Every structure is written in structure tokens, then in C-alpha cells.
Amino acid sequence: MNETLLRALTGSLYVTIVLASTLHPISFVVLFGLFLALAIWEFCKMNNIPIKAPILGGIVFYLLFYFFSFSEFTINLLLLCSLLVSVRATLFMYSASPFLLSKNTKLVFLVGYIVMPFVLLSKIPFLTQAYSSTPVILLFVLIWANDTFAYLVGKTWGKTKLLERISPKKTREGFIGGLICTILLAILIDYFLQTQSIRYISVFALLVGIGSTIGDLIESKFKRVAGVKDSGNLLPGHGGILDRLDSIIFVAPLAYLFFKLIPYVS
């Protein structure tokens, strides 16, 4: 089968499954619990970490935050830890040489950069009094849009490399073009939904556009250090689940904080 066609079919199936899962809280939590297990498996394999215990621990941690009520302080502490690890991952991305990570650093990234963002992502639809999938759908649509527009603009007009030593194909023109198109799309979506202000939706789209690019670059750095092209081969034409969720992993804590401070009114 033609590689482009295979990639398109796989991507369409992935998008359909993700969007369908948001229709009910149980299907949403179950799907992303599965995605978390796969992400842990790929991260551990890529970084030579024993797999069984992290997967079990990660899933238990994820489910605890779904089935049990935790105090506001505990959730805020989880958010703070995840954001701090995200900062550490960003510094790791910008480091000049692909140095080897210590065992403890790998475990910190596993917990703070993989497991915690999934927990926070699963909590976003429950920030309102009743389950609302709209903020999560908007989050995913804008991330997908940013990736697509950045690729198209970069392929057409891209000349200046964004961070060549990590991702040779990304360009500044693609980054800026993707960002602008994502903001315009967010404004267009909100024009039809008429639920938020232009300022609100534009700031959120800006946050998503920048964050998704950083998340993509961080995962590229992990792969370069590990010496692999893809995090896995689960999704034909797309690589592994981390290759598909690298942006959402970085953006999830930021999106949670944004929606918590300024609730999305659907």
C-alpha cells in the first residue's frame, strides 16, 4: 500500500477513535489509560527501563485519580510537579549535546513527563460541574491543526531551520505559519460556537501552538539520545503512540492550568 495512503488511513482511524472516546467519560478514561500504558512501554523500551513495574504503577496512579476524590492541594501539587518536570524536559531539549540520562532522571521523566500529564488530561473534562468533552476536543483539534499547518507551510515556504540538531525538517516559517493558522482556526471555530471571547480562544490557541511544537521537539530529543527513528511501530506510517501524543503530553498540564484558572463555558 502507498505510504501516504497508509499514513492517511491510520491517522483517520486514530482521530476517529480519539473523538469517539470523548462521548462518554468511561470510554475517554479507558482509552487514555490504554494510551498511557503504551506510552510507558515505549518510553521504557527506548530508555532501557524495566517495563512491567512502571506500567502497573502508572495505571494504578492514573486510575486512583479517576475513581477517588483528592483534595485541591493534592491536584495542585501534581500540576506543579508536572510543570517543573516539563521545564526540566525543555532544558534537556535545548542542551547542546545528546548526553546519556541517569537512571533517576529517566524515572523522573517517566513519572512527571508521561504519567502525570495523562492524569491531568483525564481531569480536564471534569473541571466543570458536569462532564464536558468540548475543551478536550478543542485541545486535540488545535494540536492536529498546528501540526498539519506547520508541515504544509514549512514544506512550501520553509527555509530557516528551527532546531536543526534535533529536528532537521522543522523550520521557523513552518512554526510561525502553523501558529497563525491555528489561532485563525480557533477564532473560526468559536465564531460558530459563540461561547468564548476572541481573546480567550486566541490565547489558548497560542498556548497550544507553542506547547505542541516544544512537545514534539522534546520527544525528538529523547529519540536522538536513544538512537531510534520512532518511539515504536504501533501506528503504521506514524510510528509509536508517543510519536502521536508527544504534543498533547507537553500541553496537557498547561491546558489543565488554563481551563482551571479561566473555565471553558460550553
Side-chain angles (χ1 to χ4, degrees), residues 3 5 23-24 30 40 67 72 76 88 96-97 106 108 117 124 130 149 155 167 177 205 209 226 232 262-263:
E3 184 177 350
L5 178 60
L23 295 175
H24 193 277
V30 168
I40 293 172
F67 285 108
E72 192 79 4
N76 289 338
R88 176 67 180 84
S97 59
K106 291 177 183 178
V108 167
I124 289 176
F149 287 129
K155 186 176 182 181
S167 185
I262 317 173

Side-chain angles (χ1 to χ4, degrees), residues 17 94 114 122 126 150 160 167 181 186 240:
I17 291 173
Y94 275 111
I114 303 293
S122 72
F126 300 95
T160 312
S167 185
C181 290

Side-chain angles (χ1 to χ4, degrees), residues 212-226:
S212 62
T213 302
I214 294 174
D216 193 326
L217 289 170
I218 288 173
E219 206 241 342
S220 294
K221 181 60 180 282
F222 276 119
K223 290 190 292 186
R224 282 197 170 274
V225 171

Side-chain angles (χ1 to χ4, degrees), residues 165-184:
R165 67 174 181 272
I166 297 177
S167 185
K169 293 183 180 181
K170 286 191 183 299
T171 63
R172 294 181 184 178
E173 293 83 1
F175 168 68
I176 295 172
L179 202 56
I180 293 172
C181 290
T182 301
I183 294 172
L184 293 176

